[in-house]
Amino acid sequence: MTETVERLAARLRDFARERDWEQFHTPKNLAMALAGEVGELVAEFQWLTPGESASLDDETLARVRSELADVTNYLVRLADVLGVDVLAAANAKLDENGRRYDADLYRGSARKAPPLPP
Amino acid sequence: MTETVERLAARLRDFARERDWEQFHTPKNLAMALAGEVGELVAEFQWLTPGESASLDDETLARVRSELADVTNYLVRLADVLGVDVLAAANAKLDENGRRYDADLYRGSARKAPPLPP
Amino acid sequence: MTETVERLAARLRDFARERDWEQFHTPKNLAMALAGEVGELVAEFQWLTPGESASLDDETLARVRSELADVTNYLVRLADVLGVDVLAAANAKLDENGRRYDADLYRGSARKAPPLPP
Amino acid sequence: MTETVERLAARLRDFARERDWEQFHTPKNLAMALAGEVGELVAEFQWLTPGESASLDDETLARVRSELADVTNYLVRLADVLGVDVLAAANAKLDENGRRYDADLYRGSARKAPPLPP
């Protein structure tokens, strides 16, 4: 069976309810938890060159995968608590960025597109 | 049609290729971009009480939704570049956390479970 | 003797040189290291209420102090590598914010001053 | 006159009191504000190579200086609210790291010293 964001959100909801952790899962707290996990993810790459970051050894990749999992869980949980459909929001933003960053105009340039070439 | 993470990853791949931005999308750079967007998300909640964060006005919710979209796009793009299936990784981590944080033992307590009640 | 930022910067400079770590201490890498440490700091507060965060037990305060030390070291090292005088920059920004956020106009309101009441 | 951390902390204290913003300046909130500003700082470097990050053009350096100022202000304010002497804490941590990372043993290696060569 293919996993979906909806099913993951439902599992996270059950997980919190079974432990009576819903009281801690305010958007403010979950955003902080997300920031904490992203900090751990960034730390994995801090001393690597960009090239090294693209060819991780198995041990580092396993740690990175684990951090990506934590980030994903908090992101999906936060969105669920807020009632936001993240995939719909992400696709809408990508549509918007497609209009904003014309392919011919911004080709090969991060300079012209400082904020977010996604 | 229901959107999926796979389809979003494919769109982001096309988006980068069409702009010749693959050269910028190293894991190191994408992790930084993710951290930047999470910083913007956290900033939305910084002066709100936990209670206020749970009942956002429409304008704030729209900004939060936009930040969640940016975070999702960079997360999915980063995972795609690394060849990581985020939903599989997130579910595996949740299985692990289910064993680690016994529901009866950790009920109602964030104190006992400092690192990550997801 | 009172410690100063300049003296700390000098110690950090020696520390890096003695270990031949200057090669890793690019502004990009140091900004990532700073982000990683701030993630750890934020994580200390994530499940606490704002009130609880203001009256930490000794054990938590010791961990927070340790994280603040890491953040300070990377901040001072990053600024030193960039040739930025952080205290001068911080004071200049505070002057600017004093003009931007008139005391009478913004009294008691975080709402009117969303970006950064420092 | 040379600026000091103590004097900056005092100015930030006055700034908050004059605006009745002390109510917003809980450690939890200030840690979030710090994370938000560090996110902006990291974003300045996200698409630059490590080499480019070490030779910024004037415009980028001015933005980075401004972000460093924001980070410094929130860090000093947070430490002040918690009653932590950041320079003392940073120096103590550096002493500790000096013992932990023997200069001869760790020379030239970020690999052996994953968590924090400061």
Side-chain angles (χ1 to χ4, degrees), chain A residues 3-75:
Chain A
E3 287 299 341
T4 64
V5 171
E6 290 73 23
R7 210 177 110 64
L8 178 59
R11 285 194 69 194
L12 290 164
R13 218 177 295 140
D14 290 347
F15 195 96
R17 200 185 43 242
E18 286 163 15
R19 284 158 186 78
D20 195 18
W21 282 354
E22 288 152 321
Q23 58 186 311
F24 302 115
H25 286 194
T26 59
K28 183 181 180 90
N29 289 4
L30 289 166
M32 294 180 83
L34 179 60
E37 295 299 339
V38 168
E40 293 188 41
L41 181 65
V42 166
E44 289 294 337
F45 295 111
Q46 67 196 14
W47 307 124
L48 304 182
T49 65
E52 286 168 348
S53 80
S55 59
L56 301 176
D57 59 62
D58 288 353
E59 200 185 333
T60 308
L61 182 57
R63 284 201 310 274
V64 166
R65 189 176 185 271
S66 172
E67 298 303 341
L68 286 168
D70 290 333
V71 171
T72 303
N73 278 331
Y74 279 124
L75 174 61

Side-chain angles (χ1 to χ4, degrees), chain C residues 95-110:
Chain C
D95 292 341
E96 190 187 308
N97 283 341
R99 291 186 294 271
R100 190 168 159 198
Y101 299 105
D102 179 84
D104 290 326
L105 209 61
Y106 285 90
R107 184 159 294 122
S109 168

Side-chain angles (χ1 to χ4, degrees), chain D residues 65-79:
Chain D
R65 190 177 184 272
S66 172
E67 298 304 341
L68 286 168
D70 290 333
V71 171
T72 302
N73 278 329
Y74 280 124
L75 174 61
V76 170
R77 178 69 179 141
L78 172 57

